Amino acid sequence: MGMQRDTGFLIRRIYDAVDDVDALPDVLAGLCERIGGESGILGTLMKAPGPLPFAVLFHLDPALMPTLNARHLNNVWRQHMVTLPVGIPAASDSFVSFDQVRRTDFYGEILEPWDIGHAALFVVDDMPKFHVAMSIHRSRTRGPFTSTELEASQKLLPHLRRAMQLRLLLERSHEQEKLALQALDQLAAGVVLVDSQARVLFANMAAQEIAAAGDVLVLTDGTVKPRLREQGGIFRGLVASAIAGKPGGWLLLSRPSPQLPVSALVTPLAGRLAACFAAQGRLGAAAVLLSDLEGQASSSTEHLRSLYKLSPTEARVAWLITRSTSVGRVARALGIAPETVRTHLKHIYAKTGVNRQSALAYLVGAAAVARVPSALSPVRGIQSFKDME
């Protein structure tokens, strides 16, 4: 019964390693104990030349890893190990003796400092671009691993293989999630992803800048709510509706006069991001899309200047003409003569390559979608609102 409990504990720790890399040293320790090893390493061996992209050590000094990566990845043990069938362990002495190994630089620079004389070698999995490999070691005085000792690992190896496959899938999912969030971070519109309690899962840079102003949204304990208390219930209702799979809806978030309100569209979160959050145990999520007309005017004019080399006044004329449709109104808004506006328009058309107002409106609309990178931006990277507290 004791051995069975030990096996059960190790299997649980193996699956803990799917999302917790800190469990892997425990797994290596348990395998060492099971087969009579003293140290171990588990990692990925690329089939193309290159360093170990992932390695977990047990009772080994990590200071030697740069030397291993630089000089000894193609060592005599590895050359034989990568030919092994998946899940079938082999003793290093079965294909190269300790006396042969001792005469190599690999032994002098790596194995001897680590007090390793013998190894049990495993290919845990064989992927298209890499092997998941493991070696468990002991000193020269302990002698080679026996077939009986190697067989003691057999109950655990299928579980370790499955756990490493699941870990790879999870890492791919996290990478896809990261790429999706990075794309949201480039939008000029604010995007906030919230759970059923209005807790912020993610906020892009535009949303963080709106929140930082403090005149529309309030951040409290990692949750987001409108500044005006009377709008809070409506906002929570829209979030609950979206998470329940219903359409959600619109809400104009008031701000101090004379500034324009911020338009908030609350909608269900679907697709890959929804799946990613569901995998993290989030029971539903909604997206809040924030349209700040005051801020977008400034952002869009900066974007137009960057894209088409417009002057500040030309960019402002381009923005206004697509909203007022009247040269006279633009002239009054800027305090300049109508003929001056027409001159600016000629320059704008020449620089943008369009020759009519409808085409210019399309360019201005496209410029309002993405952010303009700025060294003055106070917020960097993908963050949640919790990082702003």
Side-chain angles (χ1 to χ4, degrees):
M1 291 297 294
M3 178 62 73
Q4 185 60 42
R5 284 197 298 271
D6 289 344
T7 300
F9 170 79
L10 279 175
I11 290 173
R12 287 194 297 273
R13 290 304 282 162
I14 285 172
Y15 287 109
D16 286 344
V18 171
D19 60 358
D20 181 9
V21 72
D22 291 335
L24 285 174
D26 280 352
V27 172
L28 285 173
L31 282 165
C32 284
E33 181 181 353
R34 182 63 55 91
I35 71 170
E38 297 169 330
S39 63
I41 181 170
L42 171 69
T44 51
L45 294 175
M46 303 305 296
K47 294 182 178 180
L52 297 172
F54 169 77
V56 175
L57 308 182
F58 172 67
H59 281 180
L60 295 174
D61 182 1
L64 290 181
M65 288 302 295
T67 304
L68 177 64
N69 279 320
R71 290 171 48 82
H72 299 294
L73 279 183
N74 193 34
N75 60 72
V76 65
W77 283 357
R78 173 182 174 161
Q79 292 170 15
H80 292 274
M81 178 171 60
V82 295
T83 67
L84 296 174
V86 170
I88 305 298
S92 60
D93 296 80
S94 66
F95 46 76
V96 57
S97 69
F98 172 74
D99 286 338
Q100 290 174 298
V101 173
R102 186 171 54 181
R103 292 194 291 268
T104 65
D105 290 338
F106 172 53
Y107 179 79
E109 296 185 11
I110 302 296
L111 299 185
E112 187 174 30
W114 273 347
D115 192 22
I116 294 173
H118 309 276
L121 305 175
F122 308 78
V123 173
V124 177
D125 207 355
D126 186 357
M127 307 297 288
K129 295 184 178 180
F130 60 87
H131 294 96
V132 179
M134 178 174 65
S135 60
I136 293 177
H137 328 107
R138 60 192 185 200
S139 66
R140 57 179 295 188
T141 59
R142 292 282 303 276
F145 285 88
T146 67
S147 58
T148 301
E149 289 171 327
L150 297 180
E151 287 173 4
S153 67
Q154 292 295 86
K155 288 185 179 180
L156 300 173
L157 291 178
H159 296 286
L160 184 58
R161 181 185 186 189
R162 183 59 176 158
M164 293 300 98
Q165 291 172 341
L166 292 172
R167 182 173 180 83
L168 178 62
L169 290 174
L170 185 62
E171 288 175 350
R172 286 176 177 170
S173 176
H174 286 168
E175 186 62 27
Q176 291 167 344
E177 175 189 348
K178 180 180 177 182
L179 291 173
L181 295 178
Q182 285 176 336
L184 294 180
D185 226 14
Q186 303 308 310
L187 297 179
V191 180
V192 185
L193 306 183
V194 297
D195 66 10
S196 59
Q197 305 301 314
R199 289 187 294 257
V200 177
L201 307 176
F202 167 82
N204 71 351
M205 289 198 291
Q208 292 178 55
E209 290 169 356
I210 292 172
D215 58 354
V216 175
L217 298 173
V218 174
L219 172 69
T220 305
D221 297 329
T223 64
V224 62
K225 61 183 179 181
R227 179 183 62 87
L228 295 181
R229 182 176 300 176
E230 57 267 29
Q231 294 184 322
I234 301 173
F235 179 76
R236 290 191 298 274
L238 292 176
V239 170
S241 170
I243 288 179
K246 298 176 182 178
W250 291 90
L251 175 65
L252 285 178
L253 300 174
S254 301
R255 69 197 323 170
S257 182
Q259 292 182 310
L260 295 173
V262 171
S263 174
L265 170 63
V266 184
T267 183
L269 185 65
R272 190 177 302 280
L273 276 177
C276 289
F277 286 124
Q280 298 172 16
R282 305 287 185 178
L283 300 178
V288 181
L289 310 180
L290 303 169
S291 179
D292 180 4
L293 295 181
E294 294 281 350
Q296 284 183 11
S298 175
S299 176
S300 294
T301 54
E302 286 300 313
H303 207 168
L304 289 168
R305 290 180 61 189
S306 174
L307 288 172
Y308 302 109
K309 310 303 180 187
L310 303 184
S311 71
T313 302
E314 289 168 351
R316 190 64 178 167
V317 168
W319 170 263
L320 290 172
I321 197 67
T322 60
R323 279 150 179 76
S324 67
T325 71
S326 164
V327 168
R329 290 177 181 173
V330 174
R332 288 192 294 274
L334 296 179
I336 58 179
E339 283 305 315
T340 303
V341 174
R342 294 188 180 94
T343 299
H344 283 311
L345 280 173
K346 290 179 181 179
H347 295 161
I348 292 166
Y349 289 149
K351 291 180 179 180
T352 60
V354 301
N355 56 13
R356 61 185 186 276
Q357 194 169 319
S358 60
L360 181 61
Y362 177 83
L363 294 182
V364 171
V369 171
R371 294 175 56 85
V372 181
S374 171
L376 300 179
S377 177
V379 183
R380 285 288 178 267
I382 299 175
Q383 303 177 25
S384 73
F385 276 149
K386 293 180 181 179
D387 298 319
M388 298 169 59
E389 293 183 283

